[in-house]
Amino acid sequence: MKNIDGNLIFDHAPRIASYASAVGKKEGEGPLRDWFDRIIRDSYAGKDTFEQAESELMTTAVRVALNKGDYAQEDIDLACCGDLLNQCVASSFAMRSYAIPYAGVYGACSTMALSMILSATAIESGAASRAVCAASSHYCTAERQYRFPLEYGSQRPPTAQWTVTGSGACVLEERSRITPNTKTAVHQTTVERLDSDDAFLKRDKRPHPIYLHSARLGRIIDFQITDQNNMGAAMAPAAADTIYRYLSASESEVRDYDMIFTGDLGRVGSRLLRDLLGEKGVELGERHSDCGVMIFDEDQDVHAGGSGCGCCASVLCGYILDKMRDGTFRNILFVPTGALLSPTTVMQKQSIPSIAHLINIRAE
Amino acid sequence: MKNIDGNLIFDHAPRIASYASAVGKKEGEGPLRDWFDRIIRDSYAGKDTFEQAESELMTTAVRVALNKGDYAQEDIDLACCGDLLNQCVASSFAMRSYAIPYAGVYGACSTMALSMILSATAIESGAASRAVCAASSHYCTAERQYRFPLEYGSQRPPTAQWTVTGSGACVLEERSRITPNTKTAVHQTTVERLDSDDAFLKRDKRPHPIYLHSARLGRIIDFQITDQNNMGAAMAPAAADTIYRYLSASESEVRDYDMIFTGDLGRVGSRLLRDLLGEKGVELGERHSDCGVMIFDEDQDVHAGGSGCGCCASVLCGYILDKMRDGTFRNILFVPTGALLSPTTVMQKQSIPSIAHLINIRAE
């Protein structure tokens, strides 16, 4: 691959060979409900704790993604996963049931893109032929870790976002490995149902193969925002920086892409992103949407929208990739953002450093 | 690069072009004191909080590593860093002062190896020409986060380890970039002193170029250890698994290496590692040492030894690499281990999943 002014251009364009999403009840009642592979209505997912439930969401997303591609764990050379929990335990506890070489990553809500970029890089280098990437979040684990125990019933300001309970997982594969047989792996959906209420079968037609064309790892941007209930404002400058630099380095324009999906800027952050890019002469117009805005209806009482690693991961590995497979989108930018704070840094009155990673995903 | 039974063989053998370490007072009084670049005696490192002090350790290690190699931040394509703090904030707050594309990684105390392996993979793929890798820990941040506030003065059992206050950083460089000029970059040590008490100048002779030959990413191993005061026991099986598989896949033996350095198994974990490998017919003999045992003297009251991301990072980027540059070691295995727990999983009575990543480092 090549690095052109920070844009990473894949020589072999790793394919997204398979993908799956698993979400909670509220997400399963939202506008994207038909695109999730699993909707687990129990907040505990049948486990003893919310943390174990989050791991279960990731385990489920990974298992379904492997099943849909008909992969055994021996077929996978690398697992690259992350989440929001302290010490990233949702991922490590989820992945201990797999004997796959494991790389933990942390990019807050941008984790899914970071995981995919590092995995694709490993595939390009020859270190891996196939890699599984996953990210997760859970409303109940995030609330008590970042903010207050749920029992407090704390009030949320209008700028606050609602952490998505969900996980997305995908299998990246080196291009030479794609045989006519595995090429249609995603197509041959043989998803076992958890039970009739909790599962959706994909409606499969003739799918378009999907691949990673290029990517860009973000830099840490700190605009001195200190309000942890306004993550969108903290993260928008990072998204603007990464998108602007990617467009410049690739000499492309917004209209060259069917859609630019940010991760979880929410309504407030999305407006800021438009303003920041507008100041630089980049008009997003109708070609921008935000996973945090898409995943919930306004009447679901989530204020500024959804957030969390699981937000963009489940929207990507559900709605977006399905819409690429059916040909609705052929060329998109996936740009999740992450707020690199912790409750300790907030209490210590530090500002919120943020980051945005970008992937250009294309369908043939 | 090639993946042979999980061993990653670098085609272009990325060089360790520069490296540096910064540690705290206790580490600066230990047996490896002459090999650290900076000893910062103030626990706060002149900052307001211990967390900021940990970031300052990493910033210092990165700055000195860049200075020693005479690199500007524009020369670096990728920063790959991690630490033990919740949401890895020591790293993200340290690296926000650099405008370098940033990938956060988490492997608990194995983080330094994970960072180097992913960076070397990015270099092999062409995504980066140079990458900076760093990891840090701080006794005071780790104690209050994982165990109790320092003010409690809680008693420590004999199996407990002492979190190292320190950071190590290195610059990896693609081989074709090595010109006669930069080849000796580490040699031309122009380290500015913080002040006369706090800095050591390297004693430079004619250095041997150091490079990464191969590596292995570990799998998550869970031997159902639940005692968070006995991390060595939790991590030893992971180290045994990774070392055994690396030796098998490379068809090499312990005697082929000058030394095998584990990260921070401590005295208890090191004995377990010898037993576990002995059962498989692999005798470590005199060729094993552990960074957690090396960094402190027994009379420094650290019980089973040192631990933390900064332990193996500072020992590698101090003593070990210096000993490779001067020709004492020509071929080593660096095998840090990580305990992938969090205080929450401990309170929830979960066991401790562990991991070990391995790098074969060679000197010409």
Side-chain angles (χ1 to χ4, degrees):
Chain A
M1 58 196 293
K2 287 175 284 296
N3 181 324
I4 298 177
D5 289 341
N7 283 11
L8 311 178
I9 320 294
F10 297 108
D11 288 332
H12 304 296
R15 286 266 168 76
I16 299 179
S18 178
Y19 57 88
S21 53
V23 300
K25 178 169 174 284
K26 192 181 187 83
E27 294 71 20
E29 294 167 349
L32 304 186
R33 58 186 169 276
D34 288 350
W35 282 276
F36 299 122
D37 292 278
R38 292 286 186 282
I39 296 168
I40 299 176
R41 297 184 193 285
D42 170 16
S43 297
Y44 285 96
K47 303 290 178 182
D48 293 333
T49 66
F50 294 132
E51 285 74 16
Q52 288 175 43
E54 185 176 336
S55 289
E56 180 63 20
L57 284 167
M58 185 183 284
T59 308
T60 302
V62 169
R63 191 184 65 243
V64 177
L66 294 180
N67 284 350
K68 284 166 77 173
D70 202 17
Y71 299 123
Q73 62 173 338
E74 295 74 29
D75 299 327
I76 310 291
D77 300 315
L78 170 67
C80 203
C81 311
D83 61 89
L84 292 174
L85 294 189
N86 295 345
Q87 287 70 55
C88 306
V89 287
S91 303
S92 41
F93 277 74
M95 297 311 292
R96 69 176 165 171
S97 48
Y98 293 97
I100 301 173
Y102 179 77
V105 294
Y106 185 74
C109 305
S110 71
T111 296
M112 190 64 186
L114 178 60
S115 158
M116 291 170 71
I117 294 171
L118 293 176
S119 294
T121 302
I123 289 172
E124 286 274 306
S125 76
S129 295
R130 278 194 207 93
V132 65
C133 313
S136 69
S137 55
H138 192 301
Y139 177 76
C140 301
T141 61
E143 277 301 301
R144 67 184 182 186
Q145 179 186 276
Y146 281 95
R147 285 165 282 263
F148 297 102
L150 294 176
E151 293 80 355
Y152 279 25
S154 60
Q155 261 196 324
R156 300 154 49 81
T159 52
Q161 292 174 240
W162 186 279
T163 306
V164 162
T165 299
S167 175
C170 66
V171 176
L172 301 187
E173 186 171 61
E174 66 172 320
R175 201 156 240 225
S176 58
R177 283 289 177 106
I178 313 278
T179 63
N181 190 29
T182 57
K183 200 169 191 171
T184 53
V186 176
H187 177 50
Q188 296 156 351
T189 310
T190 55
V191 181
E192 85 285 22
R193 288 177 169 230
L194 285 183
D195 63 54
S196 55
D197 287 335
D198 285 350
F200 288 91
L201 287 183
K202 296 280 182 190
R203 290 173 293 279
D204 285 287
K205 297 172 193 160
R206 184 179 298 174
H208 293 263
I210 312 165
Y211 63 95
L212 273 54
H213 172 270
S214 53
R216 186 178 185 94
L217 283 170
R219 312 178 301 165
I220 300 175
I221 304 284
D222 193 332
F223 260 46
Q224 301 297 311
I225 304 285
T226 54
D227 180 3
Q228 66 160 334
N229 279 311
N230 194 355
M231 300 284 204
M235 299 190 295
D241 183 75
T242 299
I243 292 170
Y244 184 77
R245 288 172 186 275
Y246 177 83
L247 294 177
S248 302
S250 61
E251 297 179 358
S252 63
E253 298 177 34
V254 170
R255 65 179 177 191
D256 295 328
Y257 305 95
D258 296 322
M259 206 56 143
I260 297 174
F261 294 102
T262 47
D264 54 352
L265 293 175
R267 293 184 213 328
V268 176
S270 292
R271 280 198 299 273
L272 278 168
L273 173 66
R274 286 169 181 276
D275 290 349
L276 288 167
L277 283 176
E279 286 171 10
K280 294 187 164 198
V282 176
E283 297 300 335
L284 289 175
E286 296 298 306
R287 291 178 190 261
H288 169 249
S289 197
D290 181 78
C291 298
V293 175
M294 294 158 66
I295 195 167
F296 293 122
D297 276 322
E298 284 207 53
D299 63 9
Q300 285 187 289
D301 194 28
V302 297
H303 300 293
S307 67
C309 295
C311 178
C312 67
S314 61
V315 174
L316 176 74
C317 297
Y319 174 82
I320 296 175
L321 293 180
D322 272 4
K323 286 291 182 190
M324 298 200 77
R325 287 178 59 236
D326 74 12
T328 308
F329 305 132
R330 292 295 186 94
N331 189 3
I332 68 148
L333 299 182
F334 174 62
V335 197
T337 50
L340 302 172
L341 82 174
S342 83
T344 306
T345 63
V346 171
M347 285 191 286
Q348 293 175 352
K349 302 190 188 305
Q350 295 287 305
S351 56
I352 305 175
S354 297
I355 199 161
H357 302 300
L358 178 151
I359 309 178
N360 177 207
I361 307 175
R362 297 187 182 181
E364 282 176 6
Chain B
M1 58 196 293
K2 287 174 283 295
N3 182 323
I4 298 177
D5 291 342
N7 283 10
L8 311 179
I9 320 294
F10 298 108
D11 288 332
H12 305 295
R15 286 268 168 75
I16 300 178
S18 178
Y19 57 88
S21 54
V23 299
K25 177 169 176 284
K26 193 181 186 82
E27 294 71 20
E29 293 167 349
L32 303 185
R33 57 187 169 275
D34 288 349
W35 283 278
F36 299 121
D37 292 277
R38 291 287 186 282
I39 296 168
I40 299 175
R41 297 184 193 286
D42 171 16
S43 299
Y44 285 96
K47 302 289 177 183
D48 292 332
T49 66
F50 295 132
E51 285 74 16
Q52 288 175 44
E54 185 177 337
S55 288
E56 180 64 19
L57 284 167
M58 185 184 284
T59 308
T60 302
V62 169
R63 190 183 66 242
V64 177
L66 293 180
N67 283 351
K68 284 165 77 173
D70 202 18
Y71 299 123
Q73 63 173 339
E74 296 74 28
D75 299 328
I76 310 292
D77 300 314
L78 170 67
C80 203
C81 311
D83 60 89
L84 292 173
L85 293 190
N86 294 346
Q87 286 71 55
C88 306
V89 286
S91 303
S92 41
F93 277 75
M95 298 309 292
R96 69 176 165 171
S97 48
Y98 292 97
I100 301 172
Y102 178 76
V105 295
Y106 185 75
C109 305
S110 71
T111 296
M112 190 63 186
L114 178 59
S115 158
M116 291 171 71
I117 294 171
L118 293 176
S119 294
T121 302
I123 289 172
E124 286 274 305
S125 75
S129 295
R130 279 193 207 94
V132 64
C133 314
S136 68
S137 55
H138 193 301
Y139 176 76
C140 301
T141 62
E143 277 301 301
R144 67 183 182 185
Q145 178 186 276
Y146 280 94
R147 285 165 281 263
F148 297 101
L150 293 176
E151 293 80 353
Y152 279 25
S154 60
Q155 263 197 324
R156 299 154 50 82
T159 52
Q161 292 173 240
W162 186 279
T163 306
V164 163
T165 299
S167 176
C170 66
V171 176
L172 301 187
E173 187 171 59
E174 66 172 322
R175 201 158 241 225
S176 58
R177 282 290 178 108
I178 313 278
T179 63
N181 190 28
T182 58
K183 199 168 191 170
T184 52
V186 176
H187 176 50
Q188 296 157 352
T189 309
T190 54
V191 181
E192 86 284 25
R193 288 177 169 229
L194 286 183
D195 64 55
S196 54
D197 286 335
D198 284 351
F200 287 92
L201 288 183
K202 296 281 181 188
R203 291 175 292 278
D204 285 286
K205 297 172 192 161
R206 185 178 297 175
H208 293 263
I210 311 166
Y211 62 96
L212 273 54
H213 172 270
S214 53
R216 187 177 184 95
L217 284 170
R219 312 177 302 165
I220 299 175
I221 304 285
D222 193 333
F223 261 45
Q224 301 298 312
I225 305 285
T226 54
D227 180 3
Q228 66 159 334
N229 280 311
N230 194 354
M231 301 284 205
M235 299 190 295
D241 183 75
T242 299
I243 293 170
Y244 183 76
R245 287 171 186 276
Y246 177 83
L247 293 176
S248 302
S250 61
E251 296 179 0
S252 63
E253 298 177 33
V254 170
R255 66 180 176 190
D256 295 328
Y257 304 95
D258 297 321
M259 207 56 143
I260 297 174
F261 293 102
T262 47
D264 54 352
L265 293 176
R267 289 178 227 297
V268 177
S270 291
R271 279 198 299 273
L272 278 168
L273 174 66
R274 286 168 181 277
D275 290 350
L276 288 167
L277 282 176
E279 286 171 11
K280 294 188 165 198
V282 176
E283 296 299 337
L284 289 175
E286 297 298 307
R287 290 176 191 263
H288 169 249
S289 196
D290 181 78
C291 298
V293 175
M294 294 159 66
I295 196 168
F296 293 122
D297 276 323
E298 285 207 51
D299 63 9
Q300 285 187 288
D301 194 27
V302 296
H303 300 295
S307 66
C309 295
C311 178
C312 67
S314 62
V315 174
L316 176 74
C317 297
Y319 174 82
I320 296 175
L321 293 180
D322 272 4
K323 286 291 181 190
M324 298 199 76
R325 286 178 60 237
D326 75 12
T328 308
F329 305 131
R330 292 296 187 93
N331 189 4
I332 68 149
L333 300 182
F334 174 62
V335 197
T337 50
L340 303 172
L341 82 173
S342 83
T344 306
T345 63
V346 171
M347 285 190 286
Q348 293 176 352
K349 302 190 189 304
Q350 296 286 304
S351 57
I352 304 175
S354 296
I355 199 161
H357 302 301
L358 178 152
I359 308 178
N360 177 207
I361 306 175
R362 297 189 182 179
E364 281 176 5

